[in-house]
Amino acid sequence: MRQDIGKSLGGRNTKIHLIAANEKTPIVFQLSPGQAADDPEGRVLMTKLPDHYYNSDISLAIDKAYVGDKIRGQAVSYGLNPVVPPRHNRKEPWEYDKELEERRNEVERYFRRLKAYRRVFTRYDKIDVMYASFVSFAMICEIMCQLC
């Protein structure tokens, strides 16, 4: 069984990669080892989007960890509008919607709420299926809390 527990500077950990519609609605997520690069994982995750999101001209606010040309090109090829600021040392910076980019912290706040669940934060589960199941459970609980 897979165990996406990797070694990084912070010790053994797992990354949760997420595409969310807004601060309350996750669409798709996946796990990766802590030392895995974000850009390749983001490209794989984008292929798991449901078909009705493609060619819909939806803005896709992307974390700076996913700032590579490949992921931006993939988003454009899927008909999505990538919203991510270029790195400050980029020789050819691109234009982006600064107002939408400021809303990117909504997803960060969502992660903060997920990590309030101790089992998500500490990853007691050694097998990915169990950990992903509890992450899904925490997401469902967050959705239910929003409805109350």
Side-chain angles (χ1 to χ4, degrees):
M1 296 230 162
R2 280 190 55 179
Q3 295 183 15
D4 278 333
I5 302 174
K7 282 188 174 182
S8 67
L9 293 176
R12 295 189 178 274
N13 62 12
T14 301
K15 291 182 184 177
I16 301 171
H17 303 273
L18 171 75
I19 295 178
N22 55 36
E23 67 180 289
K24 301 173 186 170
T25 313
I27 298 171
V28 63
F29 80 96
Q30 73 181 23
L31 306 175
S32 73
Q35 79 275 11
D38 290 335
D39 191 65
E41 297 293 334
R43 286 185 304 217
V44 171
L45 186 62
M46 205 179 307
T47 63
K48 296 179 181 179
L49 271 173
D51 291 339
H52 65 275
Y53 287 101
Y54 298 131
N55 297 317
S56 58
D57 200 33
I58 292 175
S59 293
L60 183 66
I62 303 172
D63 191 89
K64 283 188 179 182
Y66 303 95
V67 77
D69 290 332
K70 291 180 182 177
I71 198 164
R72 286 181 56 250
Q74 182 179 1
V76 169
S77 72
Y78 288 162
L80 302 169
N81 177 27
V83 178
V84 61
R87 292 207 168 114
H88 69 280
N89 60 352
R90 180 125 182 146
K91 291 182 181 180
E92 297 176 17
W94 55 80
E95 295 294 320
Y96 65 98
D97 188 341
K98 292 180 182 179
E99 194 173 303
L100 276 176
E101 195 272 332
E102 288 176 3
R103 292 186 57 210
R104 188 173 45 86
N105 71 10
E106 293 175 359
V107 177
E108 299 299 332
R109 289 195 311 258
Y110 183 76
F111 271 113
R112 181 189 52 79
R113 286 194 311 274
L114 277 183
K115 289 184 178 181
Y117 293 86
R118 187 173 181 198
R119 199 164 162 183
V120 172
F121 177 71
T122 57
R123 186 176 175 157
Y124 290 128
D125 303 300
K126 291 185 179 178
I127 299 172
D128 279 356
V129 172
M130 295 302 295
Y131 184 63
S133 299
F134 194 79
V135 170
S136 297
F137 176 73
M139 289 178 177
I140 292 168
C141 288
E142 282 301 311
I143 291 170
M144 297 306 290
C145 286
Q146 300 300 326
L147 296 176
C148 295

